[in-house]
Amino acid sequence: MANSKYEYVKSFEVEDEVMLPNLIIVRIYGYNFRRLSEDHEFEKPNDEQAFNLMNSCAAAMLEEYPDIVFSYGFNDEYSFVLKKTTQFYQRRASKIVSITVSFFSSIYAMKWKEFFPLKEMRCPPFFHGRVICCASMEVLQAYLAWRQDACHINNQYNTCFWMLVESGKTEREAQDILKGTQKQDKNELLFKQFGINYKNLPEMFRQGSCVLRKKAEDIVKYNESGNPIKRLRRKAIVVHSNNIASRSFWDEHPSLLNELGQFGEGIGRVKPEYVKSFQFENKLMPSTWIVVRIDGCHFHRFSEVHEFEKPNDEQALNLMNSCAVAMLEEFVDIVFSYGVSDEYSFVLKKTTQFCHRRASDMVSLIVSFFSSMYVRKWKDFFPQKELKYPPSFDGRAVCYPSSEILRDYLAWRQVDCHINNQYNTCFWMLVKSGKTKSEAQDTLKGTQAREKNELLIQQFGINYHMLPAMFRQGSSVFRKKEGKTAMDKGGDPVERSQVKVIVDHCNIIETRFWDEHPSILDENPFSSIQTDSATVFS
């Protein structure tokens, strides 16, 4: 991060570390997946390929993140259990949940064609996420029992419901028939009316799916004769069990005992309220500006693997901007966003009740949607490049109590953009001229803005101020009313306006920008602020 007088805004960021010895569970669940299933005509009550896609994504999570040792999922949700001693992202809840939901969303979008080769993805999948702190193994055991019980109850109901609908009942009639019925009643309905023995339905539908690591033979290479050489390695596998909260299931998998601990004997009926009380909640302060900032995870490596142009890849930046535009089109409470490089900040209006102002839901949804859109739009911007692995982003939500502080936050990000871009432009020009990276760093060490400008002019004939504004000042995305002339029924011209989401590359530190666009925010927080930005962009 660049140093500037606006650095103080970082003090508003609240640490949300999950303290030891709590176990950490990340539960993600689909947002409006009923719409996604209807748009893509998933089979009711269960679409086997959709379930297999979810399981494949969960397996990819365990392959990517060694700290995840167990996961359980059904329908559109998955729970990931991290090892007891994890220091994953310093145990910060916002980082853990956003990374988890981001990677899962990206891999879901990337793997779609493997499971639905004949179906075009019509809308992006995205997920909520929550962190659950387990104070003991008993809480983890109760949590898993709760989720598997929910799997059984929901699947049994849905099986009955859709069989009734397929038999000719309306959805309302099916609901009325099932109202107040118990498990035994539903089993009898399925058997007597449809000849279905519920216990003979696929385990994946009735019991959900577990993903864990198990030692298995894997081909590591082939010898000179072409014969495979196999070695034992821990691979993510999918298993099914009728009681994942039982001691016997846990004892069958030594890795779970080693990484998490041992369950007690049987567990009785679990009250959901008990488990929910361990959810890591962070409800954001009312009547404050909320900024959700997302940052690319390990994007230095991502940019190298995908051969992005240095110091700025215009298409990569345009891809980020296009995803930000989609964000404002999807979420009406986002009133402004600002992005540079692999990060974006989304400003939500002060009065927002989006996700009931719960930080985890808000951050996870925004990160998830952005990640899915990034994968979906990749081919639009890189038609000749294959996306080699899923991108992921972390995120956090921060409250800013006044308009002045919000203004300083945005100024901080734009100053950071300018300083970093100026340095990177010099650095990569020096490297391209033949210097090593270490030599380029030594050359630039201790230099000021004016010295970097002179270096670019004198050595490379580059006027920094003539470089594209998107590189120097970042990108602002907001809604703007645009007028157009149409003809009424009598053939007379009529002025009509429509709201469009636009991308602009401008100086957002100066008051003038906000005066020119008074409708961007609920109120104009910059009307009384006079800032001289001449020194910022010099």
Side-chain angles (χ1 to χ4, degrees), residues 116-244:
F116 296 105
L118 302 179
K119 288 184 180 180
E120 193 67 32
M121 183 181 281
R122 297 176 183 174
C123 60
F126 51 113
F127 300 82
H128 287 279
R130 291 280 185 90
V131 165
I132 294 92
C133 307
C134 294
S136 65
M137 284 297 290
E138 289 75 20
V139 178
L140 173 60
Q141 191 175 14
Y143 175 85
L144 294 176
W146 171 48
R147 296 322 303 146
Q148 189 163 45
D149 191 47
C151 169
H152 166 67
I153 292 171
N154 292 339
N155 184 67
Q156 190 185 45
Y157 179 93
N158 289 334
T159 303
C160 294
F161 176 85
W162 287 108
M163 289 306 299
L164 287 167
V165 171
E166 287 177 16
S167 72
K169 302 289 186 187
T170 65
E171 292 191 10
R172 181 61 181 271
E173 288 171 338
Q175 290 170 350
D176 290 341
I177 290 170
L178 294 173
K179 191 174 182 180
T181 55
Q182 302 302 309
K183 292 180 181 179
Q184 187 61 34
D185 301 324
K186 295 184 182 74
N187 283 339
E188 289 178 2
L189 182 151
L190 288 172
F191 190 76
K192 290 179 179 178
Q193 292 195 37
F194 306 106
I196 294 174
N197 185 337
Y198 182 75
K199 292 182 180 179
N200 290 336
L201 294 179
E203 293 176 319
M204 180 166 62
F205 302 159
R206 294 182 291 109
Q207 301 170 1
S209 300
C210 304
V211 182
L212 47 85
R213 295 184 189 87
K214 194 171 184 178
K215 284 187 177 179
E217 280 193 338
D218 191 32
I219 298 173
V220 293
K221 61 181 179 180
Y222 293 87
N223 61 23
E224 293 179 357
S225 304
N227 297 318
I229 297 175
K230 297 181 179 180
R231 289 180 186 156
L232 281 176
R233 66 181 291 261
R234 294 179 71 193
K235 295 187 69 174
I237 62 168
V238 179
V239 298
H240 302 98
S241 169
N242 64 355
N243 190 352
I244 62 171

Side-chain angles (χ1 to χ4, degrees), residues 13-15 92 94-95 291-293 363 394-398:
E13 297 180 4
V14 179
E15 291 301 328
R92 287 177 289 177
S94 58
K95 292 276 190 179
V291 176
V292 176
R293 186 171 84 243
V363 172
D394 65 54
R396 62 168 49 201
V398 184

Side-chain angles (χ1 to χ4, degrees), residues 321 338-340 414 417 469-476 504-506:
N321 294 342
Y338 175 76
V340 53
Q414 191 161 49
C417 167
M470 178 168 63
F471 302 163
R472 294 180 292 108
Q473 299 188 135
S475 301
S476 299
D504 201 357
H505 313 293
C506 47

